[in-house]
Amino acid sequence: MRASPPENRIPPGSLLFLFNHDATHQLAHTAGILKVLALRDVDRPIVCAYGTSAIAQRLRSMLGEEAAERIGWFDLSLPRPGLLTRLINRIAPAERLKRLTHHAGELRNAALIVSPERTCLHLKRQWKEDGPQFIFVPHGAGDRSVTYHPDMSGFDAMLVSGRKVADEMIRHGLASPETVAIIGYPKFDLIDRQATRKFFENDRPTFLYNPHFDPHLSSWYDHGPALIDWFAFGPGQAYNLVFAPHIMLFRKKLHISPEYRVARRRPDLNPQWRQSANIRIDIDSEALTDMSYTLSADAYIGDVSSQIYEFLIRPRPAFFIDTHSRADDEALPYLSWSAGDVVRSAASLFPLLPHFEERGRLYEARQEEIFDYTMSRSTRPSSARGADAILSWLANGYFAPDEAA
């Protein structure tokens, strides 16, 4: 058995999985790949670098005891973050960047760094060609332009969920067919896709409202409170509602969108909503990221979150609130919006919701089509496909023919 690397050291030539975030929503997208590699006889040290103790604890739970004991654990936390850093971190990823800079010497020992987000490229730009290679595994499979940010071209290679993401990465000039491997969606390996949970003491249909945090794109700022009011105090009392936003929405009061140069204060929750027997408010639990709600809901209400594709693992009714004033004759800006009705406001949505089942049937074929385009299906687990692709890249500097896009 391969011995685990020493605690808080990164041995030269390591295969490093980087989890440098303040929240846990990205973990499931690469944890399965890490687990597969940890349980194999890989001829190099495998290290997990984590930003917070909560992330380390959640990762250990996902990996299981045997896999967790076979890898090294590198603590990225800062000895003294400083007041200014903490203040800036409320609006920008200051602590993430500072952690990378503080531990750059150790991180440079890795042969390959696998990351689900792009702030790590700060180090690659600093090291230029004299440093580890970087592989990107997206934390989601959404359609927003930020998914195809120009910075993504800094990664040496990418492991993506399906043909859609591969096509878009190549079309935007962020990768080539030789540097993209299609592996499916590793997060699906960590959950029971048939499992559903009962969140209410009744048998009413349950809607999931899943707004994003981006202040330009999210429906929460202008329409969310009215939507919850409809379920709590209006005709929507005939249904259940799970309010489960993107986990970052309630991490900050002020949200800034660098992409759209918009800043807005987030509306607070109405305490009366929690008193409604048909309303479940969840802004910070593990259920926000483990697909408990997307698997269990009867219908989905959202805007731009990539969680719609997790919901579409089974065709069901979906509704979208367009907050950016798209012209009526303009093509849909997101592929996911072809999976259901798109409205401009909560008020426009209310007449549709009582007919959610018949509205949903109109889009079932399209939902299957876009899911298959977005999520590659295979008899082999996605995590195993991802592990094979990483080892192929490490050994040869390219993906095997059946992996490359």
Side-chain angles (χ1 to χ4, degrees):
M1 176 182 291
R2 181 187 66 248
S4 63
E7 191 81 14
N8 230 49
R9 293 297 306 277
I10 300 176
S14 293
L15 170 53
L16 177 77
F17 280 72
L18 183 63
F19 298 97
N20 181 35
H21 204 283
D22 305 319
T24 60
H25 61 295
Q26 299 179 355
L27 306 185
H29 297 281
T30 49
I33 301 173
L34 173 58
K35 181 175 182 177
V36 169
L37 288 167
L39 296 176
R40 288 187 183 179
D41 290 324
V42 178
D43 62 351
R44 65 177 64 241
I46 299 175
V47 178
C48 169
Y50 58 92
T52 69
S53 58
I55 285 176
Q57 182 178 358
R58 182 78 181 276
L59 273 169
R60 286 182 179 274
S61 175
M62 289 178 173
L63 296 175
E65 183 177 352
E66 183 181 358
E69 291 302 315
R70 296 189 67 182
I71 63 176
W73 294 85
F74 185 81
D75 186 353
L76 290 165
S77 61
L78 297 167
R80 295 185 184 84
L83 179 59
L84 180 60
T85 299
R86 291 188 183 279
L87 289 174
I88 298 174
N89 203 59
R90 295 180 180 178
I91 58 175
E95 287 194 33
R96 273 184 271 169
L97 291 170
K98 194 167 183 177
R99 286 195 291 258
L100 292 172
T101 301
H102 182 79
H103 295 287
E106 284 289 330
L107 292 168
R108 195 168 186 167
N109 286 333
L112 178 67
I113 293 176
V114 180
S115 174
E117 52 100 41
R118 71 177 192 269
T119 56
C120 64
L121 293 174
H122 170 74
L123 292 178
K124 188 166 177 62
R125 289 189 291 269
Q126 176 183 320
W127 295 331
K128 299 185 175 13
E129 300 301 319
D130 185 25
Q133 290 197 308
F134 286 73
I135 283 185
F136 178 51
V137 183
H139 59 280
D143 306 316
R144 295 192 302 135
S145 58
V146 73
T147 305
Y148 310 106
H149 192 281
D151 283 355
M152 299 301 185
S153 64
F155 285 99
D156 296 285
M158 301 179 181
L159 312 181
V160 301
S161 64
R163 174 54 55 188
K164 178 194 78 176
V165 183
D167 286 349
E168 290 300 303
M169 290 294 185
I170 294 167
R171 185 174 73 84
H172 284 83
L174 306 177
S176 67
E178 296 74 30
T179 61
V180 177
I182 296 174
I183 65 168
Y185 202 60
K187 184 173 181 178
F188 289 159
D189 297 342
L190 300 177
I191 56 99
D192 178 355
R193 305 184 196 190
Q194 305 305 316
T196 58
R197 294 174 58 184
K198 186 175 176 64
F199 293 104
F200 300 93
E201 297 295 326
N202 61 63
D203 295 320
R204 303 170 194 165
T206 296
F207 288 80
L208 167 63
Y209 178 38
N210 172 229
H212 202 263
F213 63 85
D214 186 288
H216 177 68
L217 304 173
S218 173
S219 58
W220 173 249
Y221 298 83
D222 293 323
H223 308 288
L227 177 61
I228 300 182
D229 279 347
W230 187 81
F231 282 94
F233 312 122
Q237 293 178 83
Y239 311 100
N240 298 319
L241 176 71
V242 172
F243 175 57
H246 191 290
I247 197 170
M248 296 304 292
L249 181 60
F250 279 81
R251 287 293 183 103
K252 302 174 182 178
K253 181 64 177 176
L254 175 67
H255 282 273
I256 296 176
S257 173
E259 184 182 6
Y260 298 101
R261 299 180 182 181
V262 172
R264 297 192 65 177
R265 290 178 64 82
R266 167 188 47 75
D268 287 328
L269 299 170
N270 181 343
Q272 292 183 317
W273 293 335
R274 295 188 184 274
Q275 299 173 17
S276 299
N278 68 320
I279 305 288
R280 180 182 177 89
I281 305 290
D282 186 350
I283 60 173
D284 57 7
S285 86
E286 290 185 6
L288 293 177
T289 60
D290 68 6
M291 293 183 58
S292 292
Y293 300 131
T294 51
L295 286 171
S296 303
D298 297 296
Y300 178 96
I301 303 171
D303 34 61
V304 300
S305 175
S306 64
Q307 287 192 42
I308 178 59
Y309 288 106
E310 297 179 6
F311 177 81
L312 292 180
I313 197 168
R314 300 194 314 276
R316 282 163 291 168
F319 301 89
F320 306 92
I321 302 177
D322 173 6
T323 63
H324 9 311
S325 300
R326 179 177 51 84
D328 290 333
D329 58 351
E330 189 178 342
L332 292 172
Y334 312 109
L335 181 67
S336 59
W337 283 9
S338 64
D341 292 307
V342 182
V343 299
R344 299 291 182 84
S345 66
S348 300
L349 182 62
F350 297 151
L352 298 176
L353 296 183
H355 309 286
F356 74 96
E357 291 179 303
E358 59 193 270
R359 298 304 304 168
R361 285 192 286 271
L362 299 176
Y363 294 94
E364 284 181 355
R366 181 57 174 163
Q367 288 181 358
E368 292 272 17
E369 182 181 4
I370 67 173
F371 183 86
D372 285 342
Y373 184 40
T374 302
M375 305 293 194
S376 169
R377 306 191 204 217
S378 170
T379 55
R380 296 192 67 236
S382 296
S383 297
R385 294 164 71 186
D388 289 345
I390 288 173
L391 294 178
S392 175
W393 187 269
L394 268 172
N396 308 306
Y398 57 83
F399 296 121
D402 61 337
E403 297 166 346

